[in-house]
Structures are given as C-alpha cells and as structure tokens.
Amino acid sequence: GQNIDQPTEMTATEGAIVQINCTYQTSGFNGLFWYQQHAGEAPTFLSYNVLDGLEEKGRFSSFLSRSKGYSYLLLKELQMKDSASYLCAVTDSNYQLIWGAGTKLIIKP
Amino acid sequence: IAGITQAPTSQILAAGRRMTLRCTQDMRHNAMYWYRQDLGLGLRLIHYSNTAGTTGKGEVPDGYSVSRANTDDFPLTLASAVPSQTSVYFCASSDKRQGADTQYFGPGTRLTVL
C-alpha cells in the first residue's frame, strides 16, 4: 500500500529552528510537496521537490532523498505565525497526490 | 473572483437530505479535485476531473457524485447525506499541463450531518 508518515505533533520555541520529517512508500514517485495549513483554513503551497537535495526559500527549506524515501521541512527563525499544520504529499506513478496526515507545529514564546 | 471559491462556508444538514457543494475557479486550470479532511486522517480524495467533461473516482467516492460541465465549475453532490459525511470539504485545482502540478485550495465547506 501507499503510505506517508509524519510526526503528529511537534513543539518548538520562537526564534529557534525545527525540522519536520516525512517518510513515504508509494507506487512510483513524481515529486513531493509541502503545504502549510493554519487552523480553520485551507492548505497553502510551500515547496516542491522532485530531485534530491535542498531547496531553500527564505526561512523555509525542503530536502529530498528519493533513495531513502525521505524528506524534511526546515523552518528557521521561528515566528508565532508559523504555528500551523504542515502537510507532506507525494505524487505517485499515476500523478495522484498521496497526503500525509500532517504535523501540528506548536510555537511557544 | 481571484482563485477558488466554495459555497456554502458551512452547513448543517439533516440525514437523508440532498446537498450540493459548489466550487468555482477562475485560474483556467484544467484539473479540479474534491477532498474531505477529518481529524487525524489527513486529506482524502473523493473525486477528481483532469479536464472539462471527464471525472474520476478517488480514494473515498461512495455517497458522492460530481460533474464537470465546464472548466470553471466542479460541484460535489451528496445524494442522501449520512452522519459519517460530517467533515470539512476542500475543492482544489491545478494546471496539469505544467510540470509541478501544484494544487491550489478553496477556503473549504464545513458540513455537519445530523
């Protein structure tokens, strides 16, 4: 079967760095997405990785290792507004998105 | 309109009633999707449409139907609502002609079936 695993919840301190991991087992791979979802709102696109390596976008970076079926989202200089759920999703061989259940990130002052 | 709109924002519905959730996008995206999101389960695909005039079943299609008469609109119908269909419903769209196929989401409809 197809499976995406992420931690259910993480806590971090304002100003710090946090890494949210995602491991996947899917039938084929055509890219990995990270989305941010604030409580009561829609998911919004953060990043896309299709090749191995690190993609940096401001305070957020996303890493992919296709051989290990692994990705992480790195958030630097955490702000209170970063409190949200972070969703990992993989495009499979049929170009359908398979979604993880999301990681709820709690930022403490 | 900019992006994707959904209506209604929220609805309380009696079991057995018929309900249509509306979704409209103005980005001329060819693909559209309906998801439901339940606590702890993440987003689950109900139905999708890769282009106007075609639809397909997702992971959890039972009890739901869709149509795609044109590019912009993708309504989701619950023929006879049941309490297990209580959920938050998100519509999304993407331009499958572009490589990354990033999906953009509407604001969601919170549906409660009693």
Side-chain angles (χ1 to χ4, degrees), chain A residues 64-101:
Chain A
L64 174 68
S65 169
R66 289 173 296 171
S67 63
K68 296 181 179 178
Y70 168 70
S71 173
Y72 67 72
L73 181 69
L74 191 72
L75 290 74
K76 303 176 184 176
E77 301 169 14
L78 286 169
Q79 302 175 11
M80 297 304 293
K81 67 179 182 179
D82 297 330
S83 291
S85 289
Y86 292 86
L87 314 180
C88 174
V90 173
T91 306
D92 69 8
S93 56
N94 294 318
Y95 290 90
Q96 296 290 348
L97 264 185
I98 310 301
W99 293 85

Side-chain angles (χ1 to χ4, degrees), chain A residues 33 35 37 42 45 95-96 99, chain B residues 35 37 96 100 102-103 106:
Chain A
F33 293 85
Y35 280 76
Q37 185 178 23
F45 170 76
Y95 290 90
Q96 296 290 348
W99 293 85
Chain B
Y35 291 94
Q37 187 175 41
K96 273 191 172 288
T102 303
Q103 294 187 12

Side-chain angles (χ1 to χ4, degrees), chain B residues 5-7 21-24 32-36 44-49 58 60 65-67 74-77 89-92 108-109:
Chain B
T5 58
Q6 292 183 235
L21 308 185
R22 299 185 297 279
C23 175
T24 299
M32 297 186 74
Y33 313 84
W34 273 105
Y35 291 94
R36 59 178 290 173
R44 292 185 292 170
L45 183 66
I46 304 170
H47 285 285
Y48 65 92
S49 169
V60 289
S65 63
V66 292
S67 61
F74 191 43
L76 176 74
T77 298
Y89 290 85
F90 287 104
C91 179
T109 293

Side-chain angles (χ1 to χ4, degrees), chain A:
Chain A
Q2 309 206 90
N3 196 48
I4 310 275
D5 284 317
Q6 311 178 230
T8 302
E9 186 174 297
M10 298 181 70
T11 302
T13 304
E14 190 177 16
I17 298 173
V18 70
Q19 177 175 312
I20 302 174
N21 296 324
C22 171
T23 57
Y24 62 89
Q25 293 175 311
T26 55
S27 57
F29 178 85
N30 284 297
L32 185 145
F33 293 85
W34 284 97
Y35 280 76
Q36 181 189 59
Q37 185 178 23
H38 285 102
E41 299 183 8
T44 56
F45 170 76
L46 281 179
S47 68
Y48 172 73
N49 295 69
V50 66
L51 299 176
D52 290 350
L54 188 68
E55 295 278 344
E56 296 186 78
K57 192 183 294 185
R59 294 189 298 114
F60 292 9
S61 302
S62 57
F63 171 84
L64 174 68
S65 169
R66 289 173 296 171
S67 63
K68 296 181 179 178
Y70 168 70
S71 173
Y72 67 72
L73 181 69
L74 191 72
L75 290 74
K76 303 176 184 176
E77 301 169 14
L78 286 169
Q79 302 175 11
M80 297 304 293
K81 67 179 182 179
D82 297 330
S83 291
S85 289
Y86 292 86
L87 314 180
C88 174
V90 173
T91 306
D92 69 8
S93 56
N94 294 318
Y95 290 90
Q96 296 290 348
L97 264 185
I98 310 301
W99 293 85
T103 299
K104 182 179 181 180
L105 178 63
I106 300 168
I107 309 296
K108 295 186 175 180

